[in-house]
Every structure is written in C-alpha cells, then in structure tokens.
Amino acid sequence: GGGGGGGGEGGGERVFRTPYKFVERSWPRSCYVEFEARAFQGPDDEEPVLMYYRGYFRRKIADRSVVKMIGTIYLVRRSRWGKGGGGGGQG
C-alpha cells in the first residue's frame, strides 16, 4: 500500500488525497494498481464523485518506452479504505 494525492494547493482549490495499492510482479505477469479517487464531477454534483480504479500496466508493443494503464473504473458505494468495506457497482 501507499499514499497518493495531488492537485494544486491554495488558490481556493479543494485537495483530495487517497491511498493506493501497487503490486509488483515479475515478467510475464503484469504489475497492477488499485485506488479510489474523487475523479468526476458532473454539473449537478456538489463535489467530485468517489470512483474506484483497478488496472494493470502493459508496455506498448510498437514503442517499448511507453507503458499503458489498462483497467476498469467503478462507482463507489462504500469506501474500501477506512470507511466500511467493499468496492461498489460498476459505473
């Protein structure tokens, strides 16, 4: 596990931080990452919606210096880290 975060501090912006899980694996298996993030805010949302991402890393065949993240984003109903268990429904 670890910590993550981002976004500008100051300037009236609200900053959200989230833990993440990164699992390193030897070739040929792929490393993977999972995290929750307040990632999307629609016009009717008062604040960004909590989403859950789980995916893996894959090198691009044509350009081995490029690493892609391939995964799925889910809508979170209950937080996986610290506020009840479970992921949520696919969103």
Side-chain angles (χ1 to χ4, degrees):
E9 306 224 12
E13 289 184 22
R14 190 164 175 197
V15 177
F16 295 96
R17 299 193 185 277
T18 185
Y20 64 90
K21 179 179 181 182
F22 175 80
V23 177
E24 185 175 2
R25 295 187 170 163
S26 300
W27 189 89
R29 297 175 69 188
S30 298
C31 299
Y32 74 88
V33 65
E34 60 184 65
F35 57 87
E36 290 180 352
R38 294 199 176 271
F40 302 101
Q41 184 170 0
D44 297 328
D45 297 326
E46 291 184 22
E47 64 178 36
V49 177
L50 187 61
M51 306 295 279
Y52 169 75
Y53 175 84
R54 180 177 174 127
Y56 60 93
F57 299 93
R58 191 55 52 90
R59 286 199 184 274
K60 188 173 178 182
I61 294 172
D63 183 353
R64 302 291 291 167
S65 67
V66 175
V67 178
K68 302 182 292 182
M69 283 180 67
I70 302 167
T72 305
I73 298 173
Y74 301 90
L75 179 61
V76 173
R77 294 196 193 336
R78 290 173 294 172
S79 177
R80 292 177 62 91
W81 287 287
K83 296 180 183 150
Q90 187 169 0

